[in-house]
Amino acid sequence: MKAIKRTERDSHGEIEVDANRLWGAQTERSRRNFKISYMKMPSEIISALTYIKKACAIANCKLGKLSKEKAEAVISACEDIIQDKYPDEFPLSVWQTGSGTQTNMNVNEVIAHIGAKEKLHPNDDVNMSQSSNDTFPSAICISGVIAVKKVMEACNALEASLNKLAEKSKGIIKIGRTHYQDAVPLYFSDEISAWRYDILKPVSMLEDAISHLSYLAIGGTAVGSGLNAPHNFDKEVCRVLSEELGHSFLPDENKFHALSSKDAVVFAHGALKALAANLFKIATDIRFLSSGPRCGIGELSIPENEPGSSIMPGKVNPTQCEALSMICVQVMGNDTAIGIAASQGHLELNVFMPLIAYNFLQSCNLLCDSIKSFTEKCVDGIRINRERVQSNLDNSLMLVTALKEVIGYEKAAEIAHHAHRNGITLRESALQLGLCDAQTFDKYVRADKMV
């Protein structure tokens, strides 16, 4: 059965569109011209643009540019989109014009069609006092703030889980390791405290990043001059957005900078990369400490969530650590792409914005989901193997460090090497070599006095 078509028009002329679709000519042209990959413009960008359209309609009405009837039609249509009533009306690829103009027009056209009884024009009414060049970067910032807050919530839950693990481990002394080699002892809770701060520090960086993302390009229109936007339009739009989203958004003080520079996004994603680097460290530490279960370090036991091998029966792998690690690598790759893209703000506009938006939001979503999974499916279920911890501690040669201040570095090193070569304890080595008597050894070589 042949699909029913309708004719739409734009400045390039007529084009046929599926009659069941709510988009118009410009969306259809982009859909046909950019059949590139499965990657669609993120729904977070569509949502942010819709909030912007609603706020702009309210501001334009208040400032006397848009009639009350048309403003109400735009607002009603935006609310329907925000409630996800039209999820299939935003089909465009990420790989389109670098300004995001076609997605901006996609949103404009859908709003205009939903509110057709008021005869809304996508450019003249829905896009009034705006340009893609100020709405799209504003949408990146708005969606970025929302996404970063979700990452922070996930981080807070992980930090709380690590804190519980630290409480469980209080008083347990373990051998430390540097360069993958035995080092001096420390409390297990101190080692875990590093993991906690690996989360807390980037979260504080993300808080700073949100403050930079809160300045919007809206009101700059095409090149930053604000052509066709009424006085105080930017302030009024930001006021409405702040009320709608429960976060304080402000007009960027220099719109020329806001259109051409993406430094706030680079800064924010840098904090996400810092978080990813630290998460990679935590995941790797847990993998090492839980290695075994019999032929590795084995100081931790992680939840046995699923079989780990298709050939080795009973094998269990650190799958949550591995999934998180892969995501951390993806975030680091995204950071490189965002940094290069942000450097391309030639003259009055950066035209790598869809890439920046996609990669930034992908990083946030991946981190948010993986942190939740890692917390619930791994960290919450970690157990400390006290007997293995004690055995490794007792077997360590680096406890000899406590003798350094008594007999000197060279003699202490001789005791350690002799013990290792002959497969004996430090105490036996010290007595055999005559470098330390039993009373002195027992007085100083005590792990509880070394932490």
Side-chain angles (χ1 to χ4, degrees), residues 28 43 47 69 72 115 123 126 132 185 211 233 276 330 373 403:
E28 184 65 20
S43 60
S47 178
E69 292 73 24
E72 288 176 349
N123 298 82
V126 186
S132 301
S211 67
F233 176 74
Q330 181 65 52
S373 182
L403 289 175

Side-chain angles (χ1 to χ4, degrees), residues 36-55:
I36 305 173
S37 93
Y38 62 91
M39 299 161 67
K40 305 301 180 186
M41 191 63 66
S43 60
E44 296 94 334
I45 290 292
I46 303 301
S47 178
L49 282 169
T50 306
Y51 273 109
I52 290 169
K53 301 302 172 181
K54 180 180 178 180

Side-chain angles (χ1 to χ4, degrees), residues 47-48 51 142 146 149 240-249:
S47 178
Y51 273 109
I142 291 168
I146 295 169
K149 286 184 176 182
V240 176
L241 287 170
S242 299
E243 290 179 359
E244 288 278 325
L245 296 169
H247 178 83
S248 180
F249 290 100

Side-chain angles (χ1 to χ4, degrees), residues 154-369:
C155 285
N156 290 336
L158 174 55
E159 188 276 326
S161 182
L162 290 169
N163 193 42
K164 289 179 182 177
L165 183 61
E167 288 295 320
K168 291 177 185 177
S169 70
K170 272 194 171 177
I172 300 175
I173 300 172
K174 70 183 295 291
I175 196 64
R177 296 175 179 87
T178 59
H179 303 270
Y180 295 132
Q181 304 295 309
D182 301 346
V184 295
L186 75 163
Y187 284 115
F188 218 138
S189 57
D190 287 340
E191 185 169 61
I192 296 168
S193 75
W195 300 344
R196 286 184 57 233
Y197 273 76
D198 284 338
I199 304 301
L200 291 171
K201 289 293 186 179
V203 166
S204 70
M205 297 173 195
L206 289 171
E207 289 174 349
D208 290 340
I210 284 177
S211 67
H212 293 285
L213 289 172
S214 299
Y215 290 90
L216 305 183
I218 196 70
T221 64
V223 297
S225 64
L227 179 67
N228 293 342
H231 182 62
N232 284 334
F233 176 74
D234 55 351
K235 293 179 182 177
E236 186 62 24
V237 172
C238 287
R239 181 192 67 77
V240 176
L241 287 170
S242 299
E243 290 179 359
E244 288 278 325
L245 296 169
H247 178 83
S248 180
F249 290 100
L250 298 167
D252 197 299
E253 61 183 355
N254 188 307
K255 303 296 195 305
F256 304 101
H257 158 267
L259 268 60
S260 59
S261 175
K262 298 294 161 277
D263 49 10
V265 183
V266 173
F267 182 82
H269 200 275
L272 292 173
K273 183 174 73 169
L275 172 62
N278 286 0
L279 286 167
F280 201 115
K281 181 260 194 295
I282 295 170
T284 300
D285 283 359
I286 290 174
R287 278 198 292 176
F288 287 157
L289 293 176
S290 64
S291 60
R294 295 189 176 181
C295 299
I297 294 175
E299 293 177 354
L300 295 179
S301 290
I302 56 176
E304 298 180 357
N305 295 326
E306 66 276 312
S309 172
S310 62
I311 187 173
M312 293 174 279
K315 194 172 191 295
V316 177
N317 293 333
T319 52
Q320 290 292 324
C321 296
E322 291 166 2
L324 179 60
S325 297
M326 286 190 288
I327 283 164
C328 291
V329 171
Q330 181 65 52
V331 171
M332 294 173 196
N334 286 350
D335 192 75
T336 298
I338 288 172
I340 294 171
S343 72
Q344 306 302 303
H346 304 146
L347 304 177
E348 276 64 62
L349 185 67
N350 180 292
V351 290
F352 284 70
M353 286 192 287
L355 178 154
I356 292 170
Y358 185 90
N359 282 14
F360 188 91
L361 291 168
Q362 184 192 63
S363 290
C364 288
N365 290 331
L366 287 174
L367 285 170
C368 187
D369 289 349

